[in-house]
Amino acid sequence: MTAPLIVEVTRGSAVESRHNVAVAIATADGRIVESHGDVAAPVFPRSAIKPIQSLGLLESGAADAFAVPEARIALSAASHGGEPMHTSAVLDWLAKIGLDESALECGPHMPTHAATAEAMIRTSTPPGRAHNNCSGKHTGMLTVCRHLGLPTRGYTDAAHPLQKRIEKTFEDFLSVKLDASPRGIDGCSLPQIAVPVSALAVGIVRLGKPDGAFDAARAAACKRMAAAIIANPYMLAGTGRFCTRALIAARGHAVLKTGAEGVYMAAIPAKGIGIALKVADGAGRAAEVAMARLLDKHGGFPDTPRAEIDALVNPVLKNYAGLTVGDIRPAPNW
């Protein structure tokens, strides 16, 4: 096991914080071609696994049966900011499958998009379940249930037939038997299964480069999911979000998704590699800088101006008065 990579946070001329990052880079045949830190320890992938978790929307035929637009396919893999473009799409989608917001088993929370949250506070508008950052994924799952005739109530339970289908999909992508894996419940009430960072790298490269890893039908579903994410970066995350900015910067050369507690996954299809990382202390700011550096290093930004890349790899920190106080950067051991 090699040493983890480190992301530093500076204040003035001093390093104020350091974040340890475990990284695995894999090819679709399951080979780990580069690793840093402990990539064998199980971690909860959280929302980084959503593009695979939501693939049943396509594989089941539900997306076509209900004429789900490509932007909403991206929304099914989203951790969105709760902006009006997200919530209105979720509510309209639910109506089209004959359900309403009460069918969502994710709890409500205020939008993470600050301007939207502030507007709701000014008008004393309480958050609904559609504001939950995972509401697009939940709506996609309900769409699959409606299409397959599965119960919509209790769809988040680990014993529900839909979740059993998703668990089998995870095993196919990650090449890991999940019987003895640690388990938990995600913030949106869905099951979470802990797997090694190395397995996550294998799973995401197979989403980005599925030919040869899967049959033609699954490969087509993977390509459609990846294309929807690339074409709809604002539906995947939202205004100002790192996922959105990095997808735009990649110009179609990478597919990526964040997860809570410092997890990130990305595929660079032209290079045939998948990247997965976990920040030991769960810092999302470190995960973003680490992923930006890895995408830059491994060909995820081949057509991007250097200034645009640097804004992702080495973001400047400002205080509330607008003064520059430091930055976030990969440490010299990168």
Side-chain angles (χ1 to χ4, degrees), residues 161-244:
L162 176 65
Q163 299 308 324
K164 292 297 185 185
R165 288 170 61 98
I166 292 170
E167 184 171 329
K168 178 61 170 63
T169 300
F170 285 170
E171 289 189 334
D172 293 345
F173 272 79
L174 277 56
S175 293
V176 172
K177 293 299 291 181
L178 300 174
D179 296 347
S181 298
R183 294 174 184 250
I185 299 174
D186 211 339
C188 68
S189 301
L190 285 163
Q192 272 284 310
I193 306 174
V195 294
V197 173
S198 57
L200 295 176
V202 173
I204 196 64
V205 68
R206 288 174 176 169
L207 180 85
K209 193 175 177 63
D211 292 323
F214 302 119
D215 62 27
R218 173 160 280 180
C222 291
K223 292 175 183 178
R224 189 173 170 189
M225 177 63 75
I229 289 170
I230 287 169
N232 298 279
Y234 283 93
M235 294 304 283
L236 188 75
T239 305
R241 293 278 298 283
F242 178 87
C243 267
T244 300

Side-chain angles (χ1 to χ4, degrees), residues 5-316:
L5 298 176
I6 297 171
V7 171
E8 298 177 337
V9 182
T10 70
R11 186 170 298 274
S13 60
V15 174
E16 186 172 37
S17 302
R18 291 183 175 87
H19 304 283
N20 290 347
V21 189
V23 177
I25 300 177
T27 55
D29 60 3
R31 290 182 301 119
I32 304 302
V33 295
E34 181 180 334
S35 68
H36 306 272
D38 186 357
V39 299
V43 303
F44 289 115
R46 304 297 297 273
S47 290
I49 202 76
K50 280 180 179 175
I52 298 172
Q53 196 176 23
S54 298
L55 202 64
L57 178 64
L58 301 174
E59 289 195 293
S60 68
D64 291 332
F66 286 98
V68 178
E70 297 301 296
R72 294 185 186 179
I73 291 170
L75 186 61
S76 76
S79 297
H80 64 71
E83 296 176 65
M85 63 178 166
H86 304 125
T87 53
S88 62
V90 165
L91 294 172
D92 180 69
W93 186 357
L94 285 167
K96 283 181 166 55
I97 62 172
L99 298 172
D100 60 28
E101 192 174 17
S102 67
L104 297 173
E105 293 182 2
C106 55
H109 63 67
M110 289 297 287
T112 58
H113 181 246
T116 301
E118 289 164 5
M120 291 172 63
I121 291 168
R122 283 195 301 270
T123 57
S124 300
T125 303
R129 297 178 187 185
H131 290 102
N132 188 298
N133 75 95
C134 298
S135 63
K137 175 177 67 174
H138 283 248
T139 305
M141 289 182 178
L142 286 166
T143 304
V144 176
C145 289
R146 296 291 272 182
H147 179 61
L148 297 180
L150 300 176
T152 55
R153 181 170 294 183
Y155 70 91
T156 58
D157 192 285
H160 190 281
L162 176 65
Q163 299 308 324
K164 292 297 185 185
R165 288 170 61 98
I166 292 170
E167 184 171 329
K168 178 61 170 63
T169 300
F170 285 170
E171 289 189 334
D172 293 345
F173 272 79
L174 277 56
S175 293
V176 172
K177 293 299 291 181
L178 300 174
D179 296 347
S181 298
R183 294 174 184 250
I185 299 174
D186 211 339
C188 68
S189 301
L190 285 163
Q192 272 284 310
I193 306 174
V195 294
V197 173
S198 57
L200 295 176
V202 173
I204 196 64
V205 68
R206 288 174 176 169
L207 180 85
K209 193 175 177 63
D211 292 323
F214 302 119
D215 62 27
R218 173 160 280 180
C222 291
K223 292 175 183 178
R224 189 173 170 189
M225 177 63 75
I229 289 170
I230 287 169
N232 298 279
Y234 283 93
M235 294 304 283
L236 188 75
T239 305
R241 293 278 298 283
F242 178 87
C243 267
T244 300
R245 294 166 58 221
L247 281 167
I248 292 170
R251 312 289 199 269
H253 294 285
V255 183
L256 62 144
K257 182 68 186 70
T258 186
E261 296 297 325
V263 181
Y264 236 110
M265 294 165 61
I268 306 176
K271 300 292 184 178
I273 60 171
I275 303 168
L277 64 86
K278 165 68 176 179
V279 180
D281 64 3
R285 63 183 182 179
E288 292 173 355
V289 166
M291 181 52 75
R293 177 67 182 92
L294 291 162
L295 289 171
D296 186 25
K297 178 182 177 182
H298 293 284
F301 297 134
D303 304 325
T304 310
R306 190 70 240 171
E308 190 175 347
I309 298 170
D310 288 344
L312 298 170
V313 175
N314 186 203
V316 172

